[in-house]
Amino acid sequence: MIASSLLLAPPPPFLRNPNPNPSSPIPPKPHRLPSPPSSQSPSSTAPLLPKSLLLSLISDQDRGIKTQSNPSKRAEIIQAIEDLAVLGAGTITTGPSLSATWRMLWTTEKEQLFIIKNAGLFGTSAGDVLQVIDVGNGVLNNVITFPPDGVFFVRSSIDPAPPQRVNFKFTSAVLRGSNWEIPLPPFGQGW
């Protein structure tokens, strides 16, 4: 089974990572989507409609936790992702513009959802959930933060397969607290 995550790419210039080091797990400040100018024609705002619908559908899903128990909502979200993908058909999304720190908004990836849902076992809640992608160096880092001092960090190697696929293989994983660290065996690969 392939997991789906909402990471919109390629990012428009106003969403690109201001962090000059995309390999750094430090997240950039959140960006606010600008409102389209009222002078834009309906055809120039067409991609905003499916994107707005998708963002609306996932807004109350706790990153995908609630979707696990709601197959009809999941199907609706997956359809919205597919509808948005149609708009990007033919574009190359595996180039340098993919290198950024991305905030994970929604996923079907069971291990990530398990960790997010059960953060209370560590006396905290999940903070930011990020993917830090560096296409040039062939690196993908998955980062789940647990404020104030914890992190689950998974390093992966990536191999872009243009135009729109990136293959990955997990290479290391660690769960860290303020004064402890547990290395975990990396497992998994996919695209």
Side-chain angles (χ1 to χ4, degrees):
M1 172 114 187
I2 296 173
S4 296
S5 293
L6 178 58
L7 299 169
L8 302 175
F14 59 83
L15 284 180
R16 292 211 178 115
N17 181 9
N19 181 355
N21 182 2
S23 296
S24 170
I26 299 170
K29 292 181 181 174
H31 296 285
R32 175 166 251 157
L33 296 175
S35 300
S38 57
S39 62
Q40 283 187 334
S41 68
S43 63
S44 66
T45 61
L48 294 177
L49 297 176
K51 181 178 176 181
S52 295
L53 173 62
L54 179 56
L55 291 172
S56 174
L57 287 170
I58 66 170
S59 66
D60 63 350
Q61 294 302 298
D62 290 338
R63 300 182 187 158
I65 292 171
K66 291 182 179 179
T67 314
Q68 290 180 306
S69 61
N70 189 339
S72 62
K73 184 72 166 191
R74 177 187 165 128
E76 193 176 6
I77 292 169
I78 296 293
Q79 184 60 55
I81 291 171
E82 291 171 358
D83 292 347
L84 189 58
V86 167
L87 295 172
T91 60
I92 296 174
T93 60
T94 56
S97 65
L98 185 59
S99 293
T101 297
W102 298 89
R103 181 166 286 126
M104 193 271 297
L105 301 177
W106 182 85
T107 188
T108 60
E109 210 283 317
K110 291 178 184 174
E111 288 82 3
Q112 279 190 342
L113 291 172
F114 177 84
I115 292 167
I116 293 165
K117 184 177 180 178
N118 293 291
L121 296 174
F122 300 100
T124 187
S125 60
D128 282 327
V129 181
L130 308 166
Q131 282 195 335
V132 184
I133 302 172
D134 184 341
V135 174
N137 288 316
V139 175
L140 162 69
N141 297 319
N142 286 324
V143 182
I144 301 175
T145 63
F146 302 106
D149 301 316
V151 66
F152 178 62
F153 188 85
V154 180
R155 183 172 296 271
S156 307
S157 60
I158 60 171
D159 180 28
Q164 295 185 333
R165 183 172 290 182
V166 176
N167 299 310
F168 70 90
K169 183 175 182 178
F170 296 129
T171 57
S172 66
V174 66
L175 183 60
R176 286 187 195 126
S178 59
N179 58 0
W180 54 272
E181 180 173 301
I182 302 171
L184 301 167
F187 60 92
Q189 61 184 21
W191 58 270

